Amino acid sequence: MRLFVAIEIVPPLRDAIASLRGSLAGVRWTDPLSYHLTLRFIGDVRDRARQEDIHHALMAIRAPTCTLSPQGPGVFEQEGGLDRLWIGVARSDPLMHLQRKVDTAIRRAAGLQVERRRFLPHVTIGSVARPPPPVMSAWLTQWGTVPPPPADATHFTLFRSLRGPDQPLYDPLAEYPLG
């Protein structure tokens, strides 16, 4: 079972982000129902006891509600593949506190290594073959001036990732309250 921990993006923030759909040609847009902010990728966990350890570790987390303050869009350039479009989320103290607690709990429960990449809070909104630089630059500038309104996150979720026909499907397994 391929697992990750994330904050699900719900209305009205989900609707505001979804308004970008169709604003750039050639993009395979992510289904808005799949919008999430990953706190920690876990990976494939087949052992039922380890899955339960992860669930119990996440249940023990106590963290305050955090406000998700969207920023402008960005792009992760991928070699030989599709670039990923995303909406950034400001690194607030409550969000960073939650991410550290989740990371620590998962490392202990699942025996994972320390994540080497710096945590960059974002919501993936689509993938695209690299458009010409002037087109991408204009799109980033246009949509970077009007970020969506902030929203409060009241829980985080343990998800299972499944292969879908076109895009992965994310099945929520358990929700954990904040606040």
Side-chain angles (χ1 to χ4, degrees), residues 49-150:
R50 178 141 308 168
Q51 293 170 12
E52 289 180 15
D53 289 346
I54 290 168
H55 172 64
H56 291 295
L58 294 173
M59 281 178 45
I61 291 176
R62 299 293 174 257
T65 299
C66 51
T67 300
L68 303 179
S69 298
Q71 299 175 318
V75 61
F76 291 130
E77 293 183 357
Q78 309 287 317
E79 286 190 35
L82 298 175
D83 291 347
R84 304 282 185 245
L85 300 178
W86 49 268
I87 295 292
V89 175
R91 296 169 57 96
S92 68
D93 288 340
L95 177 60
M96 299 310 294
H97 174 75
L98 174 62
Q99 192 277 329
R100 283 189 301 273
K101 289 191 87 128
V102 167
D103 183 63
T104 299
I106 293 303
R107 282 189 290 118
R108 289 180 180 156
L112 297 181
Q113 299 296 319
V114 172
E115 180 67 59
R116 296 195 184 280
R117 292 178 293 179
R118 182 174 182 244
F119 177 61
L120 176 65
H122 68 280
V123 178
T124 300
I125 60 171
S127 56
V128 63
R130 190 161 300 146
V135 172
M136 181 57 78
S137 179
W139 185 82
L140 291 170
T141 299
Q142 175 185 359
W143 294 104
T145 58
V146 187

Side-chain angles (χ1 to χ4, degrees), residues 16-34:
I17 294 172
S19 70
L20 293 174
R21 294 171 64 86
S23 63
L24 182 64
V27 175
R28 187 172 73 188
W29 298 98
T30 302
D31 181 343
L33 294 177
S34 295

Side-chain angles (χ1 to χ4, degrees), residues 14 43 150 167:
R14 178 175 63 208
Q167 297 181 5

